[in-house]
């Protein structure tokens, strides 16, 4: 690793942060020949992670253990590949990962924390999660929330951080999570999980922009979890998976989950070849647990309150999506459960086009305890397959406007 002093050019990178006093650069090159690069990257972060500039790569870096980058007034250029060694039994031992994402006790092998930083992958930086053996392993091992299967990239306790033009390939589990953070901008992220893994999650975070995302996965493309406020998602392509999720919410009896002021725009859902990815569930869906508690998180739970208010989803194009818009409040529920107390309101859906796999285009089943006011559709033009007619379901909806046909109750 080379350390040089005071490059005036660096001011360019950090000029957007008034507090940046960039004074040093660390450049890290792969050691090669089966050597472990984790130590030298952590050393560079210790030396240049505050008021500095770090250049990682080009080349492939062998990452064998958990890493935290604590960045303050700092820029990091990732020009190479962070190749996380696929040693499943190692990573599954709890001491070998972090537990900074409270919800469902998820574990992380790579955590970025701090303030006023830019991590730029320049469209060449890659986090290689080597997920294939994980995927095979979990075909005959039961996967339980919190069992140590690591989230690939975790932002935790970040203020004013930018991640741009970076790719996450083959994540063992969630691609990315943003937790306990604010004023975060992600721009230009590709996540390619060719199996059943979720994409991006936000939790307990405020003012997060997710722009130019391309997510291939079999689970939630983007999941907006509890206490996500002022979220913008723009220009997002979901290739396969469940679609964009709000939730699940209300899993923790002791917490209110609040989701407010969310705009999602320019969203494209693409159904893939079923041999690669069999599902393309919804454009957008909303789910809460019931008010009854069954077991405890990470796997069980329920009983949490809160609300989801002021969500706008616009300019959505759907390609053979199973159920374009879906709201349900019975996640993890059993018959006879108390109805959820978590209210949805002010949900607006504008300019939807494309196709659905069946006639049921919209299914909004709100909780009888907290019926949904102010559901608005404008220009909802998703078409059912030829031969089936469009249908819309509304249970416990106080007011809904703009659907191209009647919304009928199932009587639930
Ligand atoms: C990574 O480093 C470990 C420990 O030194 C070594 O056993 C392994 O072969 C290396 N892997 C690669 C892909 O270089
Ligand atoms: C897991 O299942 C695969 C087939 O799906 C099999 O080849 C493999 O041996 C099994 N592994 C274990 C550890 O049982
Ligand atoms: C979050 O970061 C701030 C500094 O940026 C620090 O003071 C605080 O202790 C951190 N909180 C946690 C929970 O780590
Ligand atoms: C939201 O975050 C962006 C990017 O860090 C920042 O420019 C903006 O001022 C923040 N907005 C608010 C209301 O704090
Ligand atoms: C994702 O990875 C698969 C397998 O490596 C590849 O076929 C596919 O083209 C990739 N998708 C994107 C959007 O990069
Ligand atoms: C969300 O914020 C509310 C209000 O600040 C708080 O009461 C609740 O515990 C938070 N929920 C979570 C999941 O942190
Ligand atoms: C709804 O959320 C949007 C996006 O954050 C915001 O601009 C708007 O002011 C919010 N509307 C209300 C009534 O608060
Ligand atoms: C709608 O979103 C697509 C990307 O999915 C974009 O190309 C197009 O420009 C957007 N249309 C409008 C009117 O913003
Ligand atoms: C819905 O939004 C309006 C403002 O547009 C606000 O007055 C109302 O309180 C919101 N509804 C709920 C249940 O928060
Ligand atoms: C919806 O689409 C129409 C026609 O493409 C466009 O004029 C309008 O601005 C769009 N509305 C929103 C809110 O983006």
């Amino acid at each position: 690793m080379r350390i040089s002093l005071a490059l005036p050019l660096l001011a360019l990178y950090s000029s957007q942060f008034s507090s940046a006093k960039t004074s040093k650069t660390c450049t890290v090159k792969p050691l090669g020949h089966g050597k472990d690069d984790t130590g030298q990257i952590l050393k560079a972060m210790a030396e240049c992670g505050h008021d500095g500039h770090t250049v990682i790569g080009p080349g492939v870096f062998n990452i064998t253990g958990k890493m935290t980058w604590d960045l303050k007034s700092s820029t990091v250029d990732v020009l190479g590949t962070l190749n996380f060694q696929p040693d499943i039994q190692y990573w599954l031992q709890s001491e070998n990962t972090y537990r900074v994402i409270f919800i469902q006790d998820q574990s992380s092998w790579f955590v970025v924390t701090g303030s006023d930083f830019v991590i730029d992958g320049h469209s060449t930086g890659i986090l290689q999660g080597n997920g294939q053996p994980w995927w095979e392993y979990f075909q005959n091992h039961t996967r339980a929330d919190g069992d140590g299967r690591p989230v690939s990239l975790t932002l935790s306790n970040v203020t004013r951080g930018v991640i741009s033009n970076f790719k996450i390939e083959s994540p063992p589990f969630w691609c990315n999570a943003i937790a306990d953070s604010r004023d975060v901008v992600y721009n230009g992220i590709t996540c390619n999980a060719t199996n059943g893994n979720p994409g991006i999650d936000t939790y307990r975070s405020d003012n997060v922009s997710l722009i130019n995302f391309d997510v291939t996965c079999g689970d939630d493309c983007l999941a907006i979890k509890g206490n996500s406020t002022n979220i913008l998602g723009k220009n997002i392509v979901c290739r396969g998976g469940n679609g964009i999720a709000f939730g699940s919410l209300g899993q923790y009896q002791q917490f209110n989950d609040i989701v407010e002021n969310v705009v999602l725009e320019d969203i494209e859902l693409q159904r893939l070849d079923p041999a690669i990815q069999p599902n393309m569930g919804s454009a957008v869906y909303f789910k809460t647990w019931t008010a009854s508690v069954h077991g405890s998180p990470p796997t069980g739970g329920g009983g949490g309150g809160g609300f989801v208010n002021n969500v706008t989803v616009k300019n959505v194009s759907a390609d053979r999506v199973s159920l374009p818009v879906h709201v349900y409040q019975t996640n993890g529920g059993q018959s006879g459960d108390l109805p959820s107390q978590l209210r949805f309101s002010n949900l607006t859906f504008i300019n939807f086009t494309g196709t659905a796999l069946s006639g049921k285009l919209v299914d909004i089943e709100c909780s009888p305890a907290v019926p949904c006011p102010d559901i608005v559709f404008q220009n909802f033009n998703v078409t059912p397959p030829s031969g089936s007619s469009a249908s819309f379901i509304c249970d416990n909806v106080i007011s809904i406007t703009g659907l191209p046909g009647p919304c009928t109750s199932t009587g639930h």
Side-chain angles (χ1 to χ4, degrees), residues 86 88 128-139 149 169-172 193-195 197:
I88 296 171
Q128 172 57 260
N130 291 304
Q132 190 58 37
W134 289 89
W135 179 240
E136 283 161 18
Y137 179 82
F138 280 102
Q139 276 183 344
R149 196 173 179 182
E169 265 177 16
S170 204
T194 48
N195 53 45
N197 299 324

Side-chain angles (χ1 to χ4, degrees), residues 69-86:
W69 295 2
D70 175 14
L71 304 175
K72 289 205 171 55
S73 305
S74 168
T75 60
V76 180
D77 292 313
V78 182
L79 307 176
T81 297
L82 303 171
N83 188 60
F84 282 76
Q85 186 169 253

Side-chain angles (χ1 to χ4, degrees), residues 7 43 46 105 117 137 141 205 236 260 290 330 335 364 372-373 384:
L7 277 177
K43 186 158 173 274
D105 295 336
F117 63 79
Y137 179 82
H141 292 78
S205 292
I236 295 177
E260 198 165 30
T290 67
T330 53
S335 70
I364 301 178
C372 304

